[in-house]
Amino acid sequence: MHQSATPLLDSARLLEGLHSRTEQAVLLHTYSPVTGERLCLAAAGVHDVRLRRELAFTPGAVDRLRRAPLDADAPGLVMLAYLAGHDASLRQDLRQIRSRQVALTDSPLPGWILVSVPVRRLPGAPAIPGAEPRVVAAVSILVPGHVAGDPLVAYGRLMRNAVQAAIETSVVIPHRRFATTQAA
């Protein structure tokens, strides 16, 4: 049980847990319905020396990892696949992403790959009873491009399972200050 009522704090625990298991950088993205972009909210494991060196020598990569159109790469595509209703017509690539529940693309950082899974609600956020949760974010692992095949499939499976477990085991524990205000 998480001892936090703050979804982003619980999400940070999820990212740190995935980073410790994979030893890769892990990112949390959401989308802006106003701009149609995906935005990076949080990250874990971004202090890797090789990653920082490559980011320093690739102008614009940091900005593109922070903010990009939804159709630019895996985090945006995995969210885009779920933004349309279930009976909506989707492009073939978005149908595949939806059925596999994972997206894989090159990252804005040359030589690196993004593996992303959807997040239906942030860990620790209250669920709406009876409603199907919509995708609110994407969790991604930034992997060096030389990793291929089975490890990428394993990363996707690991992330799907970790996100689902974090959502199922998170609880909202109201802050005492708000609990007394509501009771009054």
Side-chain angles (χ1 to χ4, degrees):
M1 175 163 47
H2 295 277
Q3 299 297 316
S4 168
T6 307
L8 286 180
L9 181 58
D10 285 343
S11 297
R13 289 182 179 137
L14 169 65
L15 299 181
E16 288 295 335
L18 284 168
H19 168 65
S20 71
R21 292 182 72 184
T22 64
E23 297 183 2
Q24 304 293 342
V26 183
L27 311 168
L28 175 67
H29 289 94
T30 191
Y31 65 91
S32 168
V34 174
T35 64
E37 296 176 312
R38 60 122 179 103
L39 309 167
C40 187
L41 294 178
V46 293
H47 300 294
D48 176 74
V49 174
R50 178 179 172 210
L51 175 61
R52 292 185 70 75
R53 181 180 58 242
E54 291 193 32
L55 285 169
F57 290 117
T58 310
V62 171
D63 291 336
R64 294 287 296 193
L65 283 168
R66 285 186 185 142
R67 182 181 191 155
L70 280 175
D71 60 355
D73 53 25
L77 288 170
V78 81
M79 289 184 283
L80 192 58
Y82 287 92
L83 286 175
H86 284 294
D87 51 349
S89 178
L90 292 176
R91 298 183 329 219
Q92 178 64 26
D93 61 335
L94 297 177
R95 280 198 309 270
Q96 287 178 339
I97 290 168
R98 190 183 272 188
S99 71
R100 293 180 183 150
Q101 298 179 31
V102 65
L104 186 141
T105 64
D106 290 333
S107 89
L109 184 60
W112 292 72
I113 295 170
L114 281 164
V115 182
S116 304
V117 299
V119 178
R120 295 197 180 276
R121 70 180 165 90
L122 294 176
I128 299 171
E132 180 181 342
R134 63 183 181 85
V135 169
V136 297
V139 171
S140 306
I141 294 182
L142 186 59
V143 183
H146 66 273
V147 175
D150 289 341
L152 295 178
V153 171
Y155 283 145
R157 195 173 312 124
L158 170 69
M159 288 191 306
R160 278 195 317 263
N161 293 340
V163 166
Q164 189 61 34
I167 289 170
E168 289 174 359
T169 60
S170 291
V171 295
V172 176
I173 302 171
H175 192 279
R176 282 179 236 201
R177 184 178 81 186
F178 298 118
T180 57
T181 305
Q182 291 173 351

